[in-house]
């Protein structure tokens, strides 16, 4: 029933949008107006930030707008390359139930709003986001760039073949490059690498001061090396064992007595942080009420950041802080760190769960009853994490000891 409703309404979108699409074919403006769509949460938004710098570098006079969910707007709202931020509570990304007709009512409402923007090109940055493709079609935007994944394909003026197993940032940059060509500009320089197209998020001086004061109040000296552990994530199947995090912290503390630990998370993840902290010999500082900017400033202060596949670990890459992350059901080739491999290390589980066709399987929506049968992340050993952490922390500890003796 749901699929039949969607098919019927998308057919209506095609019919209603077709006359407008025919009327608005035009040459791009001298100062082109670019619309980017990215509905995702924090991590995926961080991985999209190189697109803004790349577009601004090539089209310094362009007007660049970005439609994002309120759940991730903090990542790009302060980006210097962005002219306009359009908040949108995208359907399907709110992790809440909604009326079956709500996505389509919003589609028609926002299409009318976007027509007033007179955009020359729209780039649908999420590969499988058919709703976004339908939106920019109905809005009459003449150049509509995205990947040829049905049912989005028929709403795009330029639908690219989808190359599997590329990094998420690669997809963003490839689409932006084709968007530039649609405007009569040269494509982006290749290859797409983290060195050429780095992630970006800049904490403010006020946010850095907040971190300094918070650490001072917790008795953490300015020169003390800090390890941040962010154990939480959006999908329960991606979680590691709380006792494993505590074991790693305790063994690292024994090896490097000067280390101080900070556990971070959202307010809803506070019980998880307390569970990890309960198993630690030296009690860590637990922070679950920071803003995105304050979290970035804290990560900037760290000597090492550890976690699973989550947004804050991508945020750590923007601060050029060494990181370790654990992957299971998600593909690290797509969602792994967009940074120097020597500084950002990945541990991927190799144990396929019963009932899953492969690893990574890509599935995250398990019920609480199903989770015990999907332990791919939980079986990762503490020894594998500790080996990488010691490799990263040894030079930090040597530098701290030298500084203490001088």
């Amino acid at each position: 029933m749901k699929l039949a409703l969607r098919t019927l309404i998308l057919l209506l979108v095609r019919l209603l949008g077709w006359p407008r699409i025919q009327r608005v074919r035009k040459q791009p403006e001298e100062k082109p107006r670019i619309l980017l769509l990215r509905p995702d949460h924090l991590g995926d938004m961080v991985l999209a930030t190189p697109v803004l710098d790349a577009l601004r570098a090539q089209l310094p006079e362009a007007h660049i707008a970005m439609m994002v969910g309120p759940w991730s707007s903090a990542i790009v709202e302060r980006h210097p390359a962005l002219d306009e931020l359009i908040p949108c509570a995208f359907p399907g990304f709110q992790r809440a139930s909604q009326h079956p007709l709500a996505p389509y009512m919003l589609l028609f409402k926002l299409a009318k709003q976007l027509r007033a923007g007179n955009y020359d090109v729209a780039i649908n940055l999420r590969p499988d986001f058919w709703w976004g493709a339908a939106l920019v079609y109905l809005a009459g935007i003449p150049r509509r760039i995205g990947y040829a994944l049905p049912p989005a394909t028929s709403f795009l003026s330029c639908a690219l073949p989808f190359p599997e197993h590329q990094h998420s940032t690669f997809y963003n940059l490839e689409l932006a490059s084709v968007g530039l060509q649609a405007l009569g500009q040269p494509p982006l320089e290749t290859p797409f690498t983290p060195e050429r197209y780095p992630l970006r998020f800049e904490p403010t001086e006020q946010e850095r001061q907040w971190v300094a004061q918070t650490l001072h109040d917790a008795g953490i000296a300015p020169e003390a090396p800090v390890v941040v552990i962010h154990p939480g994530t959006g999908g329960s199947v991606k979680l590691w064992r709380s006792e494993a995090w505590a074991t790693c912290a305790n063994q690292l503390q024994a090896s490097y007595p000067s280390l101080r630990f900070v556990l971070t998370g959202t307010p809803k993840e506070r019980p998880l942080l307390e569970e990890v902290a309960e198993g630690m010999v030296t009690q860590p500082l637990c922070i679950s009420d920071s803003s995105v900017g304050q979290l970035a400033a804290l990560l900037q202060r760290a000597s090492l950041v550890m976690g699973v596949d989550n947004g804050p670990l991508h945020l750590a890459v923007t601060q050029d802080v060494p990181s370790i992350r654990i992957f299971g059901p998600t593909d690290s080739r797509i969602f792994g760190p967009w940074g120097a491999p020597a500084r950002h290390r990945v541990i991927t589980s190799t144990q396929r769960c019963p009932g899953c066709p492969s690893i990574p399987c890509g599935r995250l929506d398990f019920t609480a009853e199903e989770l015990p049968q999907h332990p791919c992340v939980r079986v990762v050993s503490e020894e594998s994490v500790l080996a990488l952490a010691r490799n990263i922390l040894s030079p930090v500890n040597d530098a701290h000891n030298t500084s203490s003796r001088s």
Side-chain angles (χ1 to χ4, degrees), residues 11-49:
L11 177 60
L12 180 62
V13 169
R14 286 290 309 275
L15 294 174
L16 293 177
W18 180 254
R20 184 174 298 276
I21 289 296
Q22 298 308 301
R23 290 198 303 269
V24 298
R25 293 189 183 278
K26 59 178 183 178
Q27 293 298 314
E29 300 292 337
E30 184 178 342
K31 298 180 180 180
R33 296 177 62 82
I34 301 171
L35 174 66
L36 307 172
L37 286 82
R38 189 79 218 196
D40 304 89
H41 292 268
L42 189 146
D44 292 297
M45 191 60 63
V46 173
L47 294 175
T49 55

Side-chain angles (χ1 to χ4, degrees), residues 207-356:
E207 288 160 347
R208 294 188 185 95
Q209 290 175 2
W210 177 87
V211 170
Q213 186 63 52
T214 299
L215 296 183
H216 176 269
D217 293 344
I220 299 176
E223 68 277 6
V226 170
V227 173
V228 174
I229 300 176
H230 193 100
T233 186
S236 297
V237 72
K238 296 194 292 181
L239 294 173
W240 202 31
R241 292 168 283 116
S242 296
E243 65 273 17
W245 285 123
T247 297
C248 285
N250 290 338
Q251 294 202 29
L252 290 174
Q253 185 80 77
S255 299
Y256 312 107
S258 61
L259 286 184
R260 298 300 303 269
F261 287 86
V262 180
L263 306 183
T264 59
T266 65
K268 290 183 179 180
E269 291 169 343
R270 185 75 190 193
L272 174 60
L273 304 189
E274 293 173 351
E275 190 174 288
V276 175
E278 188 176 347
M280 294 175 62
V281 174
T282 301
Q283 286 303 292
L285 170 63
C286 293
I287 299 177
S288 57
D289 58 354
S290 65
S291 67
V292 170
Q294 290 167 340
L295 177 59
L298 173 63
L299 298 176
Q300 188 180 69
R301 167 66 176 79
S303 300
L304 171 64
V305 180
M306 300 195 294
V308 290
D309 174 24
N310 60 41
L313 267 292
H314 292 301
L315 198 60
V317 177
T318 70
Q319 307 308 306
D320 194 29
V321 178
S323 67
I324 298 170
R325 64 192 78 184
I326 306 171
F327 276 76
T330 47
D331 194 335
S332 62
R333 292 172 296 181
I334 302 172
F335 303 109
W338 184 255
R343 292 182 65 77
H344 305 288
R345 312 297 292 275
V346 172
I347 299 171
T348 56
S349 177
T350 58
Q351 178 169 317
R352 180 176 62 83
C353 301
C356 290

Side-chain angles (χ1 to χ4, degrees), residues 32-91:
R33 296 177 62 82
I34 301 171
L35 174 66
L36 307 172
L37 286 82
R38 189 79 218 196
D40 304 89
H41 292 268
L42 189 146
D44 292 297
M45 191 60 63
V46 173
L47 294 175
T49 55
V51 165
L52 293 170
D53 284 313
L55 290 174
R56 178 59 68 206
Q58 195 141 321
L59 287 173
E61 301 301 319
H63 178 90
I64 302 176
M66 193 169 195
M67 180 175 275
V68 302
W71 42 79
S72 59
S73 59
I75 293 297
V76 292
E77 64 185 3
R78 65 178 67 176
H79 199 292
L82 190 63
D83 296 300
E84 180 184 6
L85 184 70
I86 306 173
C88 174
F90 292 102

Side-chain angles (χ1 to χ4, degrees), residues 86-97:
I86 306 173
C88 174
F90 292 102
F93 291 84
Q94 302 179 65
R95 296 171 179 164
S97 60

